[in-house]
Amino acid sequence: MSPARDNHVPRQRGRRTSKGRDARYKDRLKAGVEEPDSVVRKSRYFTLTNMAISAVVLSILVPVGLGLLRDVDAKLSTSAVRPLPDKAQIIQQKSFNVLETVPPPSEANATTEFLWPGVTHKSLTDRPFHVYDPEFYDVIGSDPSLTLIATSDTDPIFHEAVVWYPPTEEVFFVQNAGALAAGTGLKKSSIIQKISLAEADALRSGSHANSEVKVTVVPSSPQVINPNGGTNYKGQIILAGEGQGDNIPSTLYLMNPEEPYNTTALVNNYFGRQFNSLNDVAVNPRNGDIYFTDTMYGYWQNFRPEPGLPNQVYRLNEESGALTVAADGFVSPNGLTFSPDGSYAYVTDTGLSNGLFGSNFTRPSTVYRFKVQGDGTWENRKTFAHVAARLPDGVHCDSKGNVYAGCADGVHVWNPSGKLIGKIYTGTTAANFQFAGDGRMVITGQTKLFYATLAASGVALS
C-alpha cells in the first residue's frame, strides 16, 4: 500500500539556480550590502580556472583523439595496401551479400560450388589463397604456394589421418574406407600410406625428376583395420580404426612409425560394448589424455553393424586406463583438435552427410568449441563456425590459435574468435590436412594430394 499524499505543495529542495543567486544579490545591493571582494575574486577565480582547465583538457584530448583516428586509418590503409602475394586474391564478401537471383535449395546447396558474379572455378583456383580478412596475410606470408603432388583416378586414397613424423621427415595418411569408388566396405580395408617431404618440396621447386611424389604403403602389423583418424603420441602414432563387419570392432591403435610398423591396441570397447565407428583422435597438451570421436560412418557406409551407442567424444587416460565420455549431443562428431595451450577443444559435426544414406542439409555442418576445464572435463559448448561448403571434416589449430578445417572447396581458416579470415582453395574436397612443422602443410583431397607452403606453423609436438 502506498503512503498517503499531503495536500500542500511540498517544499522544493535541491541545488539553487543561478537565477535565484542573481535575485538575492540584487536584494543585497538594494539593502546596501555589498559582496566582499574576496567572494567576488573567488567566484571569478573559479570561473577563470575552470575555463583554463577546460582549454587544457581540450588541447590534450583533441590531438590524442585525432591521433588515434589517424592510427586507425593508418592501420586500415596499411592492411589495404599490403602487398598481395601472386597466388592470393582478396574476397569482398559484400560483393555477394545481395544477389540478383538466389536459386532454391535444389539448385544451390551444400554440395554445389558457390560461384558469384565475376568469378569462375578457374579464377578461384588460379590464385588459391583467398583473403577474407587482413589477418590472413599473417597466415600465408609473402609467397605462399599450393602444389599438386600426387593423384588417383577414382580411388580416394588420399583421405584422412594426416600425421607428420619429424625424425624421418615423412607424412602419413590413410585411404577412404567407405567410398563406393574404392570398392570398399567388406571388400577392402583402407590402407596406411606415407610420402617424403623432401620429395614434396623438390616437386614444388621444380627439381624433382618425376611429376608426382612416391606414395608408399605402410604394412602395419597387426594391421590397423580401416584407420580414419591419427595423431602424434610420445614418438609414435595413434590411429583410430573404424573396424569392419560384426566381429572386428572399432579400435584405437598405437603404431610405430618406423619398420616393422608394429601396432598395439589401446582400447576396443566401452565396458564390453563395441564403439560405433571411431573417427578421429587428438591428445590434449595440458593433461596428456587421449580424446577421440565415435560416429556412424561405418554403418552409413555399409561396413559396420547398426550402432549400439550414442555418437560421442571419449576420453582415455592411457596410464590408468580410465575411459569416460567427454561430450555428447552430436549428430555426427567427426574431426577433433585442441588449442595450442589445451584450454579449448574443437569438434566438427558432419551430421549433414549420412554416407550412403544421403544428405540432410538441415543437419549440422558445424565446428563446435568447448572450454576444457583444469580436470580435463568439457564445458560451455559454443557454435564456433558453420560451413557453407558441404561440411568441415578434419580440424587443426596453428601455433597462434587460428582454427583450420578441411571442407568441400579447400581448407577454411578462422581466427580464435570464429571470424573467417581466409581459405586455401583447392577447388575440391579437402577431407583432412596437417601442418608439417614450420610453414608446410599436406592436404588430402581424396583423389588429389596437395603440398602447401605458408607462413603459419603447426602446434609444437610434445
Side-chain angles (χ1 to χ4, degrees):
M1 185 176 180
S2 60
R5 295 181 179 177
D6 294 333
N7 291 326
H8 68 276
V9 177
R11 182 180 178 183
Q12 298 291 331
R13 299 179 183 273
R15 191 171 57 186
R16 295 174 179 174
T17 65
S18 59
K19 184 176 181 180
R21 285 196 300 270
D22 291 344
R24 286 192 298 276
Y25 180 64
K26 291 178 181 178
D27 291 341
R28 291 172 66 86
L29 287 177
K30 288 179 182 179
V33 180
E34 296 184 1
E35 293 288 346
D37 289 343
S38 61
V39 173
V40 175
R41 286 195 300 271
K42 187 174 182 181
S43 175
R44 290 174 179 171
Y45 169 77
F46 280 115
T47 300
L48 293 173
T49 301
N50 289 340
M51 291 175 64
I53 292 173
S54 298
V56 170
V57 170
L58 286 173
S59 68
I60 294 173
L61 290 181
V62 170
V64 168
L66 291 175
L68 290 175
L69 289 175
R70 282 195 296 269
D71 287 345
V72 171
D73 288 340
K75 289 178 180 178
L76 290 174
S77 61
T78 299
S79 64
V81 301
R82 189 169 178 177
L84 188 67
D86 291 340
K87 291 297 182 180
Q89 58 180 297
I90 295 174
I91 304 297
Q92 298 286 359
Q93 285 189 256
K94 291 186 76 172
S95 67
F96 54 77
N97 279 348
V98 178
L99 299 172
E100 185 175 344
T101 301
V102 183
S106 60
E107 298 177 25
N109 53 57
T111 64
T112 56
E113 183 179 31
F114 178 40
L115 299 174
W116 59 97
V119 304
T120 64
H121 176 81
K122 185 177 186 304
S123 72
L124 293 177
T125 53
D126 281 349
R127 292 184 291 160
F129 294 90
H130 295 181
V131 180
Y132 279 74
D133 186 273
E135 291 181 42
F136 198 51
Y137 284 107
D138 293 329
V139 170
I140 61 178
S142 60
D143 188 27
S145 68
L146 181 66
T147 307
L148 180 63
I149 59 173
T151 60
S152 169
D153 290 336
T154 58
D155 193 346
I157 64 175
F158 313 114
H159 182 53
E160 291 265 15
V162 191
V163 180
W164 170 50
Y165 183 58
T168 59
E169 276 289 81
E170 294 173 322
V171 170
F172 292 76
F173 51 88
V174 304
Q175 299 180 2
N176 190 331
L180 290 175
T184 54
L186 296 178
K187 299 178 181 178
K188 170 187 170 185
S189 176
S190 60
I191 304 299
I192 303 170
Q193 301 160 120
K194 67 176 182 177
I195 61 165
S196 162
L197 283 172
E199 282 193 40
D201 204 55
L203 191 60
R204 179 192 68 85
S205 64
S207 61
H208 198 291
N210 300 314
S211 60
E212 296 190 357
V213 299
K214 181 181 179 181
V215 178
T216 303
V217 173
V218 175
S220 57
S221 180
Q223 182 184 2
V224 177
I225 304 299
N226 290 330
N228 192 82
T231 192
N232 300 86
Y233 184 69
K234 298 181 178 179
Q236 299 191 73
I237 296 176
I238 298 178
L239 292 165
E242 295 182 272
Q244 192 174 63
D246 289 343
N247 300 318
I248 302 178
S250 290
T251 303
L252 211 59
Y253 300 86
L254 188 64
M255 186 188 80
N256 177 5
E258 300 186 48
E259 291 183 333
Y261 305 110
N262 48 296
T263 63
T264 303
L266 295 177
V267 62
N268 69 356
N269 73 95
Y270 182 71
F271 294 93
R273 298 165 65 184
Q274 286 193 14
F275 296 112
N276 299 332
S277 184
L278 298 189
N279 194 283
D280 203 4
V281 57
V283 178
N284 186 288
R286 190 194 305 187
N287 57 33
D289 282 355
I290 302 165
Y291 294 75
F292 55 96
T293 57
D294 186 32
T295 186
M296 295 171 60
Y297 280 110
Y299 172 68
W300 286 335
Q301 294 172 326
N302 198 33
F303 63 89
R304 288 284 289 141
E306 187 172 345
L309 285 168
N311 293 330
Q312 303 178 129
V313 178
Y314 293 86
R315 174 190 180 189
L316 173 67
N317 181 288
E318 188 205 2
E319 185 175 344
S320 67
L323 178 65
T324 56
V325 173
D328 65 2
F330 303 96
V331 176
S332 180
N334 195 316
L336 168 66
T337 197
F338 292 96
S339 60
D341 63 356
S343 60
Y344 290 104
Y346 298 90
V347 180
T348 65
D349 191 332
T350 55
L352 176 148
S353 172
N354 299 154
L356 303 180
F357 287 73
S359 298
N360 183 334
F361 301 135
T362 66
R363 293 288 184 89
S365 174
T366 308
V367 182
Y368 292 107
R369 188 183 78 182
F370 296 81
K371 177 65 178 176
V372 181
Q373 301 298 103
D375 62 0
T377 58
W378 293 7
E379 293 184 357
N380 301 330
R381 169 175 166 149
K382 170 189 175 180
T383 299
F384 181 78
H386 181 82
V387 170
R390 196 165 181 268
L391 51 81
D393 199 333
V395 61
H396 301 285
C397 286
D398 66 18
S399 60
K400 303 296 184 183
N402 295 310
V403 182
Y404 302 60
C407 305
D409 56 2
V411 178
H412 295 197
V413 185
W414 299 270
N415 71 3
S417 67
K419 176 174 64 176
L420 179 68
I421 61 175
K423 295 182 181 181
I424 303 173
Y425 201 88
T426 60
T428 188
T429 296
N432 214 325
F433 61 96
Q434 185 56 273
F435 283 98
D438 294 340
R440 301 180 302 184
M441 178 186 287
V442 172
I443 304 170
T444 50
Q446 301 285 49
T447 58
K448 295 180 179 180
L449 187 65
F450 298 92
Y451 175 61
T453 60
L454 60 170
S457 300
V459 177
L461 301 180
S462 57

